[in-house]
Amino acid sequence: MLGAQETVSTEGNNSCSSVQSTPDIEKKYVHRVYDAIAPHFSSTRFAKWPKVAGFLNSLRPGSVILDAGCGNGKYLGFNPDCLFIGCDISPPLIDICAGRGHEVLVADAVNLPYRDNFGDAAISIAVLHHLSTDARRRKAIEELIRVVRKGGLVLITVWAVEQEDKSLLNKWTPLCEKYNEEWVDPSSPPVRNQSNTVLESISETDEHTGAVKQRNDDLKISNDGLDDNADVTCSNSNIDEHHKTQQEYFVPWHLPFHRAEIGGASAAALENGFAKRDDKKGTVVYNRYYHVFVEGELQRLVAGINNAVVVDQFYDKSNWCIVLEKL
């Protein structure tokens, strides 16, 4: 299943290399965060989303399925009649998967180390919203399509701007225009409005619904907001107007002191200001980067891909979802 990619971007090697180069915002606020919170994150990720379960159970016995961005591997092996393999950018999460006996490796969603046409299906569950540019999100979709056979299916789910609980948007921390310019290509169209209000942070959220979950004592910590992050967040603007186009957010993860490795990643993160200590709630607070999707955005990304077609699309539990078939 592993092998060198046989195809390259039609835009040329330089363009492909640029897309595959990870922006700092993803390194700092996705990769490093999940590496630091992996055990605690994994302990909260066990419930299977019915739509994903239904998709996996609909596949023919003997199907080979790739879970790209598998996290702690909760979907790996879900359908016992199929063969699952998984990959994730976080080595600690992959270690957790390997410890459970899954076939996994560390890999980047925009540069999958698998040969063309090897799989019968692929899933990308709550992954694309952690990629910070249109080009990288599109490349990740192209990679999923590349690795499945003709007629193979790809299920993609992402967090939606159109949250069922609209109050959640007022609890997330929007990123400002100045910070966007550090990772968005200058030629990209302006799709974000500037906000000037530091918003409250959100409680830990379910990866599929975006809704607040309180599964155990670790997840019952309320969040009143973070200290001022003037370098990356914005202040003083009309929030309702702002949310019409705002799609870039920080969503914090509160790692309880008793789950934090004070002598390891969390201690270093606190020392260099990458994370904050909340003594009132007894947590180390990490910010995670999210690009939440608007209606039709997934379809727009797929529109320029000639070798796949959308066979299903739906909104469910505050997620936009599509199923693609490879042509």
Side-chain angles (χ1 to χ4, degrees), residues 17 24 42 47 56 63 66 71 109 129 141 196 203 228 252 261 294 302 309:
S17 177
D24 283 345
S42 178
L56 295 175
S63 293
L66 170 65
H129 52 227
I141 296 174
N196 294 319
S203 305
D228 181 26
E261 298 179 4
V294 297
V302 174
V309 62

Side-chain angles (χ1 to χ4, degrees), residues 25 29 101 166 262 267 310 325 327:
I25 192 168
Y29 297 103
K166 293 181 173 56
I262 299 303
V310 177
E325 180 179 351
L327 300 176

Side-chain angles (χ1 to χ4, degrees), residues 220-289:
K220 291 180 180 178
I221 304 167
S222 63
N223 299 284
D224 298 323
L226 300 177
D227 294 336
D228 181 26
N229 290 324
D231 56 332
V232 295
T233 58
C234 314
S235 56
N236 297 326
S237 122
N238 185 295
I239 292 177
D240 290 336
E241 285 297 316
H242 173 70
H243 284 317
K244 289 181 179 179
T245 54
Q246 175 69 26
Q247 292 180 256
E248 319 297 330
Y249 290 94
F250 275 160
V251 179
W253 185 272
H254 285 244
L255 183 64
F257 286 159
H258 71 275
R259 299 300 298 266
E261 298 179 4
I262 299 303
S266 293
L270 288 168
E271 183 177 354
N272 63 28
F274 176 63
K276 295 182 180 297
R277 183 183 180 100
D278 190 329
D279 289 315
K280 181 179 179 181
K281 301 175 184 62
T283 62
V284 177
V285 186
Y286 290 88
N287 275 321
R288 297 173 292 162
Y289 166 78

Side-chain angles (χ1 to χ4, degrees), residues 92-128:
L93 286 173
I94 287 299
D95 287 343
I96 291 172
C97 293
R100 296 172 176 175
H102 297 306
E103 190 73 27
V104 291
L105 54 78
V106 176
D108 192 333
V110 300
N111 188 25
L112 296 175
Y114 306 104
R115 63 177 173 82
D116 296 357
N117 309 307
F118 86 86
D120 298 291
I123 60 175
S124 172
I125 310 303
V127 175
L128 261 64

Side-chain angles (χ1 to χ4, degrees), residues 8-270:
V8 296
S9 169
T10 57
E11 297 176 359
N13 291 332
N14 290 339
S15 176
C16 184
S17 177
S18 176
V19 170
Q20 292 175 348
S21 179
T22 306
D24 283 345
I25 192 168
E26 294 176 34
K27 292 178 182 178
K28 294 177 181 177
Y29 297 103
V30 180
H31 301 180
R32 288 175 60 186
V33 172
Y34 281 99
D35 286 353
I37 69 173
H40 184 231
F41 176 82
S42 178
S43 73
T44 70
R45 265 47 189 179
F46 51 84
K48 312 300 189 294
W49 189 30
K51 290 289 188 179
V52 179
F55 175 82
L56 295 175
N57 283 331
S58 73
L59 300 173
R60 293 182 303 177
S63 293
V64 176
I65 305 167
L66 170 65
D67 185 348
C70 62
N72 70 342
K74 73 177 186 180
Y75 290 112
L76 298 178
F78 177 78
N79 183 339
D81 295 325
C82 298
L83 172 65
F84 287 79
I85 62 173
C87 64
D88 199 278
I89 197 66
S90 171
L93 286 173
I94 287 299
D95 287 343
I96 291 172
C97 293
R100 296 172 176 175
H102 297 306
E103 190 73 27
V104 291
L105 54 78
V106 176
D108 192 333
V110 300
N111 188 25
L112 296 175
Y114 306 104
R115 63 177 173 82
D116 296 357
N117 309 307
F118 86 86
D120 298 291
I123 60 175
S124 172
I125 310 303
V127 175
L128 261 64
H129 52 227
H130 287 309
L131 302 178
S132 58
T133 68
D134 260 2
R136 286 174 58 75
R137 293 186 281 269
R138 183 178 296 106
K139 184 66 168 63
I141 296 174
E142 291 173 345
E143 283 290 271
L144 293 166
I145 296 168
R146 179 183 65 79
V147 301
V148 300
R149 62 170 174 79
K150 183 177 180 180
L153 300 176
V154 175
L155 169 64
I156 300 171
T157 77
V158 294
W159 280 20
V161 167
E162 300 85 353
Q163 292 286 303
E164 293 176 354
D165 181 358
K166 293 181 173 56
S167 68
L168 289 177
L169 290 175
N170 293 330
K171 299 176 182 178
W172 297 347
T173 304
L175 303 187
C176 66
E177 199 69 27
K178 177 181 178 181
Y179 197 71
N180 287 339
E181 292 171 358
E182 296 183 16
W183 86 88
V184 176
D185 189 284
S187 64
S188 299
V191 293
R192 308 171 184 89
N193 284 349
Q194 184 169 345
S195 168
N196 294 319
T197 303
V198 174
L199 302 183
E200 292 181 343
S201 57
I202 187 175
S203 305
E204 295 162 15
T205 56
D206 182 83
E207 65 192 86
H208 299 312
T209 67
V212 175
K213 295 294 184 181
Q214 295 182 324
R215 292 189 177 119
N216 51 45
D217 290 343
D218 287 348
L219 300 180
K220 291 180 180 178
I221 304 167
S222 63
N223 299 284
D224 298 323
L226 300 177
D227 294 336
D228 181 26
N229 290 324
D231 56 332
V232 295
T233 58
C234 314
S235 56
N236 297 326
S237 122
N238 185 295
I239 292 177
D240 290 336
E241 285 297 316
H242 173 70
H243 284 317
K244 289 181 179 179
T245 54
Q246 175 69 26
Q247 292 180 256
E248 319 297 330
Y249 290 94
F250 275 160
V251 179
W253 185 272
H254 285 244
L255 183 64
F257 286 159
H258 71 275
R259 299 300 298 266
E261 298 179 4
I262 299 303
S266 293
L270 288 168

